[in-house]
Amino acid sequence: MSRQLEDTAEPARLGAGRMSGMERRSAMDAVRMRIGMAISLGLLKPGERLPDQEDVALGLSVSPITARRALASLAEQGVVVRRRGRAGGTFVADSPPTDVLAGLSASPAESQAVNRLVDRRLLFECAVTHYAAVNATPEQLDELERLTREMAESNDWSYYHRMDEQFHQLVGTASCLDSAVEVYHETLAELYDYFIPYPIEKLHKSNQDHIALVAALRAGDVQNAVEVARRHVDILHRTMFMGLAQDAPSAAMPD
């Protein structure tokens, strides 16, 4: 789906209830929830500057107009503040209203549904990684390595998420599993719709899995590559919002 489409076109991916248990929500409300939960969980700190509006849109896979509306709504409610000038931008409020943040959360049913989506991706990830270790071309391996460098040098979660998505899409393509790759890419995109912002240092640590995976793929080490991929996806059960929401506010991506 083009990220330039209007907000009305986006609920087909965001909150459209394609999985049992998923709640119907507009694309704008989904963005509000993802940013709000990141603030509630301490992943976005008071006073922290959010990426530019265009980058928020790209990082959360929505259109610029959706990102603008979501940020404007959060600003109206005091969750974020907007400042003009050279040092301006959108910042997490020093004291976001707790009642507003409480309303920006996923339901237990939605959390359970995303857990099932993680399991679905886990199955696909192991399969595509197995065949990528057999079929990946030198050019594809070089591009995967380049993407790991891009992620290592990224300064914010928005750019990292974009490179991360390209990385996993390419692993799928490198598997040469034909129509199964399309289903994997669909599952990947559906799950990315529920990622929330993370501190960049935590994402850099996660990138070590990508580096290890590329090394295993270059060596044609199927067993090691699949194990790296399995661990990388399985940890989402504990690091995506459905697990974090049940933990203490200081919860963050585990080592």
Side-chain angles (χ1 to χ4, degrees):
M1 176 179 293
S2 171
R3 290 173 181 174
Q4 303 301 316
L5 295 180
E6 296 291 325
D7 179 51
T8 53
E10 288 181 300
R13 278 185 60 184
L14 282 164
R18 291 195 300 176
M19 290 184 64
S20 175
M22 289 293 193
E23 295 202 355
R24 291 183 179 273
R25 65 177 81 247
S26 70
M28 185 188 81
D29 284 341
V31 172
R32 282 168 39 82
M33 182 193 76
R34 294 159 76 184
I35 293 176
M37 290 191 70
I39 294 172
S40 295
L41 295 164
L43 303 175
L44 292 177
K45 307 292 186 181
E48 181 172 341
R49 188 185 189 280
L50 272 64
D52 292 339
Q53 180 178 291
E54 291 286 331
D55 289 330
V56 169
L58 290 169
L60 297 183
S61 303
V62 297
S63 70
I65 192 171
T66 295
R68 183 173 72 247
R69 289 172 175 171
L71 292 173
S73 175
L74 291 171
E76 289 174 1
Q77 293 182 301
V79 176
V80 300
V81 294
R82 288 173 149 179
R83 300 171 187 157
R84 298 183 180 278
R86 182 174 299 179
T90 302
F91 299 81
V92 178
D94 290 337
S95 299
T98 55
D99 58 331
V100 176
L101 291 179
L104 298 174
S105 60
S107 69
E110 190 169 20
S111 295
Q112 291 171 7
V114 178
N115 266 303
R116 292 196 297 272
L117 183 57
V118 171
D119 283 334
R120 184 196 299 177
R121 180 188 167 186
L122 183 60
L123 290 173
F124 280 121
E125 199 76 38
C126 291
V128 299
T129 299
H130 176 110
Y131 285 97
V134 176
N135 296 321
T137 66
E139 293 76 17
Q140 288 171 328
L141 293 170
D142 288 345
E143 177 62 9
L144 287 171
E145 187 171 332
R146 185 192 70 80
L147 289 168
T148 65
R149 292 196 299 270
E150 290 286 325
M151 285 183 274
E153 296 170 2
S154 62
N155 295 318
D156 62 64
W157 54 265
S158 173
Y159 188 75
Y160 182 97
H161 280 180
R162 284 140 58 192
M163 296 304 100
D164 181 72
E165 186 170 17
Q166 289 182 33
F167 180 93
H168 289 289
Q169 286 175 340
L170 182 53
V171 172
T173 300
S175 72
C176 299
L177 288 177
D178 300 326
S179 59
V181 175
E182 297 179 14
V183 182
Y184 166 71
H185 284 168
E186 290 172 1
T187 301
L188 188 66
E190 190 174 354
L191 187 57
Y192 268 75
D193 283 339
Y194 292 90
F195 281 146
I196 62 177
Y198 270 93
I200 190 61
E201 62 271 13
K202 300 295 183 182
L203 295 174
H204 284 161
K205 183 172 290 188
S206 178
N207 190 40
Q208 294 303 310
D209 287 346
H210 299 140
I211 295 170
L213 179 59
V214 174
L217 294 177
R218 280 198 185 279
D221 188 343
V222 173
Q223 182 174 351
N224 188 39
V226 170
E227 178 57 19
V228 171
R230 185 197 65 78
R231 291 197 312 266
H232 185 70
V233 176
D234 186 59
I235 200 173
L236 295 177
H237 284 301
R238 300 184 299 281
T239 60
M240 281 190 70
F241 67 79
M242 64 276 190
L244 291 174
Q246 300 170 4
D247 295 335
S250 60
M253 185 177 293
D255 296 344

